[in-house]
Amino acid sequence: MNLPYPALHASHGGVWLATAEETRAISRGEAIRIAADTPVILLNAPLIGQRLGYAELSGLDLLELFAFLHPARFMVPTPKGLARVTGLEPPAEDADIAAFLREAAVRLLAVTQGDWPEREGAWNSAQSLFRLRWPWAPVVSQAIAKPAQAERWLFSRLPEWTEQPPRVPPRTVTLADPDIADRLAALTGSAAERRQGQRDYAAAAAGAFAPRDLRDSPNVVLAEAGTGIGKTLGYLAPASLWAEQAGGAVWVSTFTKALQRQLGHEGERLVPDAELRRKKIVTRKGRENYVCLLNLEDALQGGFAGRAAILAQLAARWAAYTADGDMIGGDLPGWLPTLFRRNGSTALTDRRGECIYAGCPHYRKCFIERAARNSADADIVIANHALVMVNAARGRETASRPTRYVFDEGHHLFDAADAMFAAALTGQEAIEIRRWVTGPESGSRGRRRGLAARLSDVASYDEEGGRAITEAVDAARALPSDGWLQRLNEGEPFGPVEHLLAAVRGLVYARDVNGAADAGYGLETELAEPDGALVDAAGPAGEALDALLRPLVKLGRRLEAVLAEAPDWMDGPARARIEGAVASLGWRADTVGAWLALIARIGGPADSAFVDWLAVDRVEGREYDVGLHRHWLDPSKPFAETVLKPAHGALITSATLRAGGDWDVAEARSGAVHLTRPAQRFEAVSPFNYAEQAEVLIVTDVKRGDMPALANAYARLAVAAEGGTLGLFTAIRRLRAVHARIADRLAREGLPLLAQHVDPIDTGTLVDIFRDDPRASLLGTDALRDGVDVPGDSLRLVVMEGIPWPKPSVLHAARRLAGGGTAYDDRIVRARLAQAFGRLIRRADDRGTFVLLSAASPSRLLDAFPAGTRVTRVTLDQAVERVRLSLSAKLGQEAPANA
């Protein structure tokens, strides 16, 4: 196939256009003109458009073509990644990439002429995309032959789940140490080196699976295992053994998607057979992660327009081949939604609690319901901290609630609990509950239905329930409605809750301290000594919320009564729908109840268990929410009550579990301090030789606040390391400023630069690109400081702009006061430094340097680094030379092996 289209490539080093006859360098202006007039082949249009300064750039994006041809497959979205999936040689220079893109397009399309596993459904999808004017559609339609028989449509080819009897409660068993050692040996393999630290860790982890002696007294094991111990297989050994012998499920909970994916790979060791593994090991996430088939159907039938409609078609191709329907962190490439800029994928998931459960025509094929049922019969359920807490606090699956947990990345439990058990009476939160109760506002599109529509059969059967629905709908109209934020800005709030939010907004701005917050970003103030306007607004708002809470509670009780009576019209789907409504009502009633408690605090005494404040949320000068917030001073307390106490055992583990402190800190932040039975403690020191493998350099001559000097330091260090640099920042503004100053400079050295909050690429894909290219560097913020696993040559230098002090806020100030002042701050900083340093050395043959660009780094914080690590204060010139020498030494060590 000969494609008539030119190909365009732009990098920080220049812009090139390739035709069948030639490849030539062109200016940005000419590139924009050509792209506007002629269909051009591109790789990642949003990224190329950003480099050209032309945000609306579009064309024949090879990533979209790959997503169509190979749904539910991943490729690194770079020329090197494209070369890997097409079998071509990767281009040697930037100037060769444009011509390579034309060749790769032909190679991708050639799959349609051979044995193509994803052929089914492609022809119909191509016809739909042709009608939507997808740029690739004319070429794809010619390449795909019309099938001889009608293709099965997406919703007809998806398998249905079936109901299973309740799982038998797990048996009481005691694991034998020799059996644990044998299981660990089987997982690591006969050829693996015997690691005593890993064996000791597995034996200690088994304590979480011992029989429980007393009610509400779980066996909790706190285990800190340094990098390289092999803790994943260390806890999977006793966990899998207990699941096998007891017949129960172990939930393994993580904080990051990266570790979830790693656990999925480790499952191949545990259960080699793929079919059996799908039954034994299940990954489970919150419902907002999965594609909603009803939302997808609406999108395909005209609910989306323009580019979003094309995304819906590509998502439908993926949904037909996906393993589990997970759109976020699953087998949907993370780069696909970002190609469509406005991220229409969020409208394809259930993010607004509008699920109608058994009332959905696709209920029996629902990915969310299938995952829930699969996890009920699995041995190992891989989940995340947030889902575990949600399920424990308000989950519907009470009969199959786990009794054994493993909390990996346990140092994040405190933050996860902080988010889960908080309350926020804000405009955004209130309008969501209004919509859930009342249904769509006049003139709004979509399939959202209110309580009256969802429960019409109940209302006609049960008079009291019908009356409660009517009362709830009437009361919900007192909550903020569409346009609430504009009315607040114009000083014309409508209704008691909007008046309350207007008073909150006014007080926050009145008490703003110049320089207390980044310009254009969020503002907040303590809920202390409120002014008259706020106190006056609190009364009517409280009455309005109470008027909503009462019918919600009454309706929940009526629905439970209907379930108990089981009238003739209640079949299985109706029962499931009402049970779902009961759970949803309980969640909303709890939320409104928390709001009432928060309003009662206005003008009244403070509750020492909570921290309350007022906030105006802004981003880059634009307000997007206003409201009152309440967090637990110690969120590990509700976590212990809700999750730990009902369990029989829990292993809480991490490489930095003590969070820069001692075991008392680990117990306090994990919730173990709130249990009657003391937690068991275990420590396994990392086997790595940090004195030989790494060093820490503190640069003393980069002045704080000198942006040109900061950028110069990052650039010189990255050049000295020849890429392989992870640059960490505590503020997005400084990250962007440094990126703008050094991108072209690194490009001239042939060193690619990636940046979170700059490049229109999701964080997971940025890390994949970084991992795939040893000469690339990556700039990022907190999300890259923890949970990023890049072993080997791709990461050999970590640079931090300064000491990662906690951001001052009302919540932090309260916890700092309760936690020991400066000592509390120091613990946070030590934990963050340890987490950042932990990115550097991931395996025994890694070598690297950690650079801190902060002359004023207190010596008391330097014990955050592993024992034996060399810490030296140097000038920037000396640091650059040390990094260069470290790279030379590493290359020298590798030379004999490569010769």
Side-chain angles (χ1 to χ4, degrees), residues 285-291 327-328 346 349-351 368 386:
K285 296 184 179 180
R287 59 188 309 114
E288 70 279 358
N289 287 268
Y290 297 93
V291 63
M327 296 191 76
I328 304 169
T346 56
T349 60
D350 177 28
R351 289 180 174 271
I368 304 167

Side-chain angles (χ1 to χ4, degrees), residues 26 30 111 179 189 216 283 440 882:
I26 59 176
E30 185 180 358
V111 73
D179 292 343
D216 292 339
T283 298
R882 295 277 277 269

Side-chain angles (χ1 to χ4, degrees), residues 498-513:
E498 286 190 21
H499 274 89
L500 176 69
L501 297 177
V504 167
R505 182 175 182 269
L507 189 58
V508 170
Y509 274 104
R511 293 184 176 174
D512 176 38
V513 179

Side-chain angles (χ1 to χ4, degrees), residues 167 183 187 209 232-233 235-244 247-254 260 263-264 266-271 276-284 371 374-383 402 404-406:
R167 188 170 186 167
R183 177 59 57 90
L187 290 176
F209 301 96
T232 305
L233 293 180
Y235 61 64
L236 283 179
S240 62
L241 196 63
W242 180 87
E244 184 180 294
V250 178
W251 278 50
V252 181
S253 179
T254 76
Q260 278 195 329
L263 280 163
E266 299 289 12
E268 296 175 11
R269 301 185 187 219
L270 195 59
V271 187
L276 184 60
R277 186 166 63 248
R278 279 192 287 271
K279 296 178 181 179
K280 294 286 188 181
I281 304 174
V282 173
T283 298
R284 181 84 185 273
N374 288 349
S375 66
D377 293 319
D379 286 353
I380 304 292
V381 179
I382 303 169
R404 297 301 195 287
Y405 295 101
V406 174

